[in-house]
Amino acid sequence: LGYTLPFKANQYIKNVRINASVQNAFIWTKYPGQNPEAGINGLNALGQGRDFTAYPISRIYTLGLNVGF
């Protein structure tokens, strides 16, 4: 999501834009564990999907400010 501010250009700053994004905001699954993509045995096909000590999928928030000079 981004928004360009209605900004009157002066001799130093020409434009200003603010943006924001979210990754993994919602995860819809019927999987009972914390992370449906993790397995404790790495690439071992017999142990995939067991996440007894795996970290949950993190949510990432990003804010940005673009200033044109």
Side-chain angles (χ1 to χ4, degrees):
L1 179 65
Y3 181 71
T4 301
L5 296 173
F7 187 77
K8 292 184 179 180
N10 61 28
Q11 68 184 42
Y12 299 110
I13 299 174
K14 297 190 188 305
N15 57 20
V16 177
R17 180 170 174 80
I18 299 172
N19 55 31
S21 69
V22 179
Q23 295 178 16
N24 298 324
F26 303 103
I27 299 174
W28 289 285
T29 180
K30 293 182 181 180
Y31 184 71
Q34 294 183 2
N35 187 351
E37 296 180 1
I40 60 171
N41 293 330
L43 298 176
N44 181 0
L46 298 176
Q48 289 294 318
R50 298 186 329 175
D51 63 348
F52 299 119
T53 59
Y55 291 106
I57 298 174
S58 61
R59 211 173 269 133
I60 300 170
Y61 299 97
T62 306
L63 296 174
L65 177 67
N66 298 338
V67 179
F69 295 100

